[in-house]
Amino acid sequence: MAPVFVSPINVGHIDDVQELRKSKLTSIPQRFIRDIAEDPSLSTLTPPSPSSKPSFTAIPVVDLSKLTQNTQLSKLATACQDWGFFQVINHGIDPGLLERLEKVSMDFFMMPLEEKQKYPMAPGTIQGYGQAFVFSENQKLDWCNMFALGVEPHSIRNPKLWPTKPTKFSETVEEYSREIRGLCQKLLSFIATALGLNKDTFEEKFGVAVQAVRMNYYPPCSRPDLVMGLSPHSDGSALTVLQERKGSPVGLQILKDNKWVPVQPIPDALVVNIGDTIEVLTNGRYKSVEHRAVTHKDKDRLSIATFYAPSYEIELGPIPELVNENSPCRYRRYNHGEYSKHYVTNKLQGKRTLDFAKINPTNSS
Ligand SMILES: O=C(O)CCC(=O)C(=O)O
Ligand SMILES: [Fe+2]
């Protein structure tokens, strides 16, 4: 008899948050309620009182069409160094395509649960429909449904997870992913230039870059002060490009100077952030910044993240030109495939995942 594969991971029962929302329950299930005693930063989930001053801090805006000019390039450098996040305008991607992607993504999430469950995210994996990064039955859950797909190279695809419905879903994701790939390549060449490196530095190192897309759907939650949309984390990618559905409420927050700063999306702009890989390659000059998503009482929210990263085959470490007396080497060399495995087999836990690469993890920031 063939051996039966038993997953060593027991994640317990995971309620589907859209179904919970539909069931009009009177209280939030315990597994979604965050423990403020364990993590005091969660106290900021409580909405500010109406009399408190609104926050005017805004992440930098970079105009891709002007990046050949020095002033815009230094804006990009400041955005990467001081924020790790920026919004890119005039990116050249047709707003009609962004809108079509939003539509097929929403149509996907609005399908009956049985239809979505034809593409299940197996426990401990990160592709398909469900909740990623859950590894035990004691772990708190995020108020979010995800649908994630490996896109490039084709060898990382699981064709069984590419949905046949809604019609045009797969072809729209393909078209969108090609455009975002081009955008990431352009941004990386400008980032290299801003660092004083040859513009092809990252592309040459990356091999055939890995690209994945994840749609995050956050239904409204009657108690946004008790739950988390997406737990605090940094991205394991080199760059992440985030599209937020037009009209969605503000949900993304980034950790800046120990404060959670909300990101107010600009219509048709894309949010870009530095991932762990660029932090390592730049020897910490450009940091992957911790971020999270919060929920809204009455409004749902959709975000679509594309993760762009080196091939799993390559060895990574700080670029020698960025290591010197004033900036001693802070990260060891490692295989990127191993880091990706480490990233996807651990729960989201702020920036702790990157300790994997730090030479002195206690001396972290
Ligand atoms: O929904 C958001 O704004 C955050 C998404 C995100 O950080 C991610 O998918 O890695
Ligand atoms: Fe993220």
Side-chain angles (χ1 to χ4, degrees), residues 132-146:
F133 306 105
V134 182
F135 299 97
S136 88
E137 52 186 338
N138 305 320
Q139 195 180 324
K140 292 289 180 189
L141 298 175
D142 288 337
W143 195 263
C144 177
N145 279 336
M146 294 175 168

Side-chain angles (χ1 to χ4, degrees), residues 245-262:
R245 181 175 174 228
K246 235 180 217 167
S248 288
V250 174
L252 173 65
Q253 299 183 340
I254 69 171
L255 195 61
K256 169 98 173 123
D257 304 328
N258 270 325
K259 287 204 186 78
W260 288 104
V261 176

Side-chain angles (χ1 to χ4, degrees), residues 135-355:
F135 299 97
S136 88
E137 52 186 338
N138 305 320
Q139 195 180 324
K140 292 289 180 189
L141 298 175
D142 288 337
W143 195 263
C144 177
N145 279 336
M146 294 175 168
F147 185 53
L149 294 169
V151 179
E152 294 293 344
H154 282 226
S155 56
I156 69 163
R157 291 189 184 195
N158 180 347
K160 290 199 191 110
L161 297 178
W162 284 67
T164 47
K165 282 196 236 167
T167 50
K168 303 255 171 85
F169 181 96
S170 296
E171 65 184 76
T172 310
V173 168
E174 295 269 18
E175 189 183 341
Y176 177 76
S177 297
R178 271 195 302 276
E179 294 290 317
I180 297 288
R181 198 170 180 85
L183 174 64
C184 289
Q185 288 163 347
K186 280 183 208 152
L187 286 170
L188 283 171
S189 75
F190 285 117
I191 289 173
T193 310
L195 286 162
L197 303 168
N198 179 307
K199 72 176 179 39
D200 300 322
T201 304
F202 295 114
E203 281 308 300
E204 280 169 3
K205 284 197 189 306
F206 279 19
V208 180
V210 166
Q211 191 174 340
V213 65
R214 184 164 73 223
M215 291 140 183
N216 306 300
Y217 179 73
Y218 309 92
C221 180
S222 58
R223 292 295 305 270
D225 55 328
L226 297 182
V227 308
M228 190 62 82
L230 184 59
S231 299
H233 64 283
S234 64
D235 293 340
S237 54
L239 287 183
T240 302
V241 179
L242 189 80
Q243 179 180 339
E244 297 181 72
R245 181 175 174 228
K246 235 180 217 167
S248 288
V250 174
L252 173 65
Q253 299 183 340
I254 69 171
L255 195 61
K256 169 98 173 123
D257 304 328
N258 270 325
K259 287 204 186 78
W260 288 104
V261 176
V263 175
Q264 178 79 55
I266 301 171
D268 293 330
L270 294 163
V271 175
V272 176
N273 64 284
I274 299 289
D276 296 341
T277 304
I278 293 289
E279 173 166 334
V280 170
L281 286 167
T282 63
N283 196 27
R285 169 120 53 123
Y286 292 174
K287 290 213 170 55
S288 64
V289 165
E290 199 171 328
H291 54 284
R292 68 182 190 180
V294 298
T295 59
H296 192 276
K297 203 165 183 315
D298 315 301
K299 294 182 187 162
D300 63 354
R301 176 167 177 267
L302 170 78
S303 71
I304 302 156
T306 298
F307 305 100
Y308 186 85
S311 155
Y312 294 139
E313 313 292 315
I314 70 143
E315 299 288 315
L316 276 185
I319 293 172
E321 289 95 313
L322 301 176
V323 178
N324 53 47
E325 240 172 70
N326 298 328
S327 180
C329 189
R330 299 175 65 195
Y331 307 84
R332 65 180 178 90
R333 283 189 75 74
Y334 58 87
N335 163 267
H336 181 64
E338 267 173 42
Y339 184 61
S340 296
K341 193 166 164 211
H342 170 76
Y343 189 92
V344 302
T345 50
N346 280 281
K347 66 175 186 178
L348 297 178
Q349 43 187 343
K351 285 209 61 172
R352 225 165 295 160
T353 324
L354 194 55
D355 284 352

